[in-house]
Amino acid sequence: MNEYRYDHRTVQGFILSAIFWGVVGIVIGLLISVQMWLPAANFPPYLTFGRLRPVHTNGLAFGLGVGAIFGLSYWIVMRLCKRPLLFPRLARVQLWLFNAGIALAAISLMAGHTQSLEYAELEWPLDVAIVVLWVMFAVNVFGTVLKRREEQMYVSLWYVIATVIAVAVLYLVNNLALPVSLTKSYPVFAGVNSANVQWWYGHNAVGFVFTTPILAMFYYFLPKATGLPIWSHRLSIVAFWSLVFAYLWTGAHHLVYTPLPDWIQTLAIVFTLFLIAPSWGSVVNGYYTVGQDWSKMRSNYLTKFFILGITFYGLQTVQGPTQALRVVSQLIHFTDWVPGHVHMGTMGWVTMVITASVYYVIPKIYGTEIHSVKLANVHFWLVLVGQLLFSITMWITGIRQGWMWKATDAQGKLVYRNFVDTVAGNYPYWQTRTLAGIVFTVGMLFFVYNVLMTIRKGRALERQAAPAAPAASVTAA
């Protein structure tokens, strides 16, 4: 197979785009973390917490996350299908549209144009652009899979296919709206129905953006990086179908103790608890894969990224179902516990697996080695420490907030009647969160530098290997 036909340029383009938007999103995240305890860091009208917070979430979820998903999914699909993309030029157009869309999304959100729906803030013209972008992705994925030269479909392909289908359905339904101008529309759902549809979408956006495509990467790149076969293909398939079946029913656990009918809440809680099983099916598969040779944790720098990543995934999928229980939700809902839970997944599970996958792919594109294994190890420890400090701090803050909101005196009256009193005590924890974010950001900058230096090294090798141009002949006049 001619390596050029695998369209490395598009894969690398999506990876570099994801890295760029990731840096932007992380820097904005640092700023809004400061704004929580230093109000003077808000710079109206565009650089305020209310404007920047959706830029942060969308920039990282869709800029970093989806950008990496596009590039790494194409890498996985081409190799598991043993053929190049069916429409490589379409993928190139998709790359340019993706970057234009993310840039316009950031500008529109900073300008205050929003649908006010979590993870679906963008107004209808950008929604249309995203649908077009996703159709391009779907056409290339399904076309390449249908024309594959390898009959057996490894589990990573199943996870990519599930991502394409589920995200399409979720995004279309939740973003149904009636436009009234170029910059404003109103959702077709209202009241309780709107809340139910929104969190059916919101939680499954986590499931099919932060879970299924990341599992596709995990199942593909862990065996590739370690040289160890996946422990159980059967377990991976059982876990896949169980996960896909259960995830779509869980969104209403975000709406416990709301006007949503109790039976819908209970159904969501039951399926959320069920999710522990398929999630830990993948965790066990990862552990037993590396369990064939635990020395890989020392000798192969990528192994610890994948194993710590799947560990955080496992912890998150125990913590999530636990906090869905009514008795737990009544304490921690609406507190900082929730961002602590979310960031353990995004900073631990998602980021570790994506960066490890990029570390594997970029040197392969250029037929070289990573610029510095030592820097990669420094990156690992910094993001690990930063993520743990961030998440644990937020869990403590959340429990403290919940108890303060509920504290009553002997007469049954609220002890903290002034809400500001419950906020002031959070400042030391929010400052620690900013410190954790700085540690994590430094680690990610080591990653960016390492990747760019590897590309530079690879291009230098390409120039050395290129045949010298023939000297021009000189004739006398």
Side-chain angles (χ1 to χ4, degrees):
M1 176 64 68
N2 187 326
E3 284 295 309
Y4 171 74
R5 295 186 64 201
Y6 273 141
D7 198 15
H8 287 160
R9 286 193 296 167
T10 300
V11 171
Q12 180 175 295
F14 275 115
I15 288 173
L16 293 178
S17 300
I19 290 173
F20 173 79
W21 294 117
V23 171
V24 172
I26 289 171
V27 170
I28 292 175
L30 276 178
L31 175 58
I32 62 177
S33 77
V34 173
Q35 289 173 340
M36 293 289 287
W37 53 269
L38 184 64
N42 286 269
F43 305 101
Y46 303 115
L47 301 181
T48 60
F49 183 90
R51 298 284 179 93
L52 291 178
R53 193 265 181 177
V55 178
H56 167 67
T57 55
N58 283 267
L60 290 178
F62 303 118
L64 170 61
V66 173
I69 289 166
F70 283 155
L72 295 171
S73 292
Y74 279 149
W75 178 278
I76 291 169
V77 167
M78 287 189 290
R79 278 153 181 79
L80 291 181
C81 292
K82 292 188 176 178
R83 60 153 297 127
L85 290 178
L86 193 61
F87 303 107
R89 291 183 180 178
L90 183 65
R92 201 67 54 81
V93 173
Q94 179 195 347
L95 171 62
W96 288 104
L97 179 60
F98 166 77
N99 282 291
I102 297 297
L104 289 173
I107 293 170
S108 70
L109 290 172
M110 291 176 70
H113 300 298
T114 173
Q115 295 184 120
S116 301
L117 297 173
E118 186 80 10
Y119 307 131
E121 289 89 351
L122 303 180
E123 277 291 354
W124 71 270
L126 286 170
D127 285 340
V128 173
I130 290 170
V131 170
V132 172
L133 189 71
W134 202 258
V135 168
M136 291 177 172
F137 181 50
V139 166
N140 247 328
V141 168
F142 287 127
T144 305
V145 170
L146 287 173
K147 296 291 185 178
R148 68 186 184 277
R149 294 169 183 164
E150 171 60 53
E151 183 179 356
Q152 176 68 37
M153 289 180 62
Y154 182 63
V155 67
S156 292
L157 278 181
W158 287 107
Y159 276 115
V160 172
I161 291 169
T163 301
V164 174
I165 296 173
V167 170
V169 174
L170 293 163
Y171 201 85
L172 284 171
V173 173
N174 190 57
N175 286 280
L176 290 174
L178 299 174
V180 294
S181 71
L182 186 63
T183 59
K184 187 59 188 171
S185 63
Y186 292 97
V188 299
F189 303 105
V192 172
N193 286 332
S194 177
N196 193 25
V197 171
Q198 160 58 30
W199 283 110
W200 167 76
Y201 162 85
H203 190 76
N204 285 295
V206 174
F208 293 94
V209 175
F210 292 155
T211 303
T212 52
I214 312 304
L215 283 169
M217 298 174 201
F218 177 79
Y219 274 112
Y220 181 84
F221 290 109
L222 176 65
K224 283 287 187 179
T226 61
L228 300 170
I230 200 70
W231 180 65
S232 173
H233 182 65
R234 178 176 296 177
L235 177 60
S236 71
I237 295 297
V238 171
F240 165 78
W241 286 108
S242 302
L243 185 82
V244 170
F245 169 71
Y247 230 118
L248 292 168
W249 302 87
T250 60
H253 71 224
H254 287 265
L255 300 169
V256 174
Y257 295 117
T258 69
L260 194 71
D262 279 354
W263 73 267
I264 297 180
Q265 299 177 33
T266 302
L267 181 72
I269 293 169
V270 169
F271 274 99
T272 303
L273 290 170
F274 173 81
L275 271 178
I276 296 174
S279 300
W280 272 82
S282 294
V283 176
V284 168
N285 224 348
Y287 285 165
Y288 273 88
T289 296
V290 179
Q292 299 169 85
D293 183 5
W294 279 111
S295 68
K296 296 287 184 180
M297 290 289 286
R298 296 189 305 273
S299 61
N300 185 298
Y301 76 100
L302 293 179
T303 307
K304 56 181 171 288
F305 278 93
F306 288 116
I307 291 302
L308 265 294
I310 201 68
T311 299
F312 288 125
Y313 172 63
L315 293 174
Q316 189 183 31
T317 53
V318 171
Q319 188 184 61
T322 302
Q323 67 192 46
L325 296 171
R326 286 185 174 90
V327 67
V328 179
S329 183
Q330 56 86 24
L331 174 66
I332 56 89
H333 204 46
F334 300 120
T335 72
D336 280 13
W337 174 282
V338 178
H341 165 67
V342 171
H343 283 80
M344 178 172 64
T346 54
M347 297 167 72
W349 157 238
V350 175
T351 304
M352 280 196 171
V353 172
I354 286 179
T355 53
S357 302
V358 171
Y359 274 140
Y360 177 86
V361 166
I362 291 297
K364 292 294 182 184
I365 289 176
Y366 290 98
T368 185
E369 299 293 331
I370 194 70
H371 168 68
S372 172
V373 173
K374 183 177 180 180
L375 287 182
N377 284 321
V378 172
H379 159 217
F380 169 81
W381 289 109
L382 286 173
V383 297
L384 176 62
V385 171
Q387 186 274 129
L388 287 174
L389 186 60
F390 187 110
S391 298
I392 293 172
T393 299
M394 291 298 94
W395 297 336
I396 295 170
T397 314
I399 293 172
R400 179 183 175 279
Q401 286 172 318
W403 281 120
M404 291 181 73
W405 293 345
K406 291 179 172 294
T408 56
D409 59 22
Q411 286 74 43
K413 297 180 180 179
L414 290 175
V415 174
Y416 302 97
R417 301 179 200 180
N418 189 341
F419 185 75
V420 173
D421 293 337
T422 70
V423 174
N426 294 333
Y427 276 37
Y429 300 95
W430 289 343
Q431 290 162 350
T432 304
R433 174 170 64 178
T434 299
L435 174 62
I438 292 172
V439 173
F440 184 88
T441 301
V442 172
M444 290 300 291
L445 291 177
F446 274 107
F447 162 70
V448 173
Y449 176 79
N450 214 355
V451 169
L452 294 180
M453 291 303 292
T454 302
I455 292 174
R456 180 181 178 184
K457 172 180 162 184
R459 287 175 176 169
L461 291 173
E462 285 182 345
R463 288 193 294 270
Q464 291 174 9
S473 58
V474 180
T475 56

